Amino acid sequence: ADFLAAAKALRAHAAPFSLQARDRQDSGGLRLGLTVTKKVGNAVERNRIRRRLRAAARAVLPQAGKEGFDYVVVARRAALTADFSALTGGLENTIKQVHKTR
């Protein structure tokens, strides 16, 4: 239910992924969800993308994320081969875009 609610909320796009963000209107911590569909690749590739996006989120979300928000990252195939700096930079930029439109 939380994934579906985030899908209807604010969005920002980067080359390797799209970001959806939803303000839960509470004081709880931020939460991260990852979506990597079968269109992206086989199980090994999808898991590698998930690991890379989780590492990028660990690096970016403590500074750029806001408490009480749900962030859902919808991966594209480009996330598999993108530089780690491109992933972290893209995530930081999309979070800024989402919070700027708010």
Side-chain angles (χ1 to χ4, degrees):
D2 290 333
F3 273 88
L4 295 175
K8 296 176 186 173
L10 302 170
R11 294 178 186 202
H13 305 284
F17 56 84
S18 292
L19 177 76
Q20 301 168 343
R22 172 182 160 241
D23 188 357
R24 293 190 316 269
Q25 305 289 330
D26 65 15
S27 60
L30 63 87
R31 300 188 302 183
L32 174 71
L34 299 172
T35 301
V36 186
T37 65
K38 287 186 177 182
K39 291 182 203 176
V40 173
N42 63 25
V44 173
E45 294 169 332
R46 291 192 312 268
N47 288 331
R48 184 175 297 143
I49 290 170
R50 272 190 213 98
R51 285 193 304 272
R52 296 186 84 217
L53 289 174
R54 260 191 234 112
R58 265 189 240 111
V60 172
L61 282 178
Q63 297 85 17
K66 291 189 179 180
E67 296 295 316
F69 269 80
D70 288 340
Y71 298 101
V72 176
V73 178
V74 181
R76 295 189 184 117
R77 181 131 180 104
L80 183 63
T81 57
D83 290 338
F84 188 72
S85 61
L87 289 178
T88 56
L91 188 57
E92 193 170 337
N93 289 337
T94 54
I95 289 173
K96 285 179 185 177
Q97 286 175 9
V98 164
H99 291 301
K100 187 170 74 170
T101 60
R102 205 168 171 268

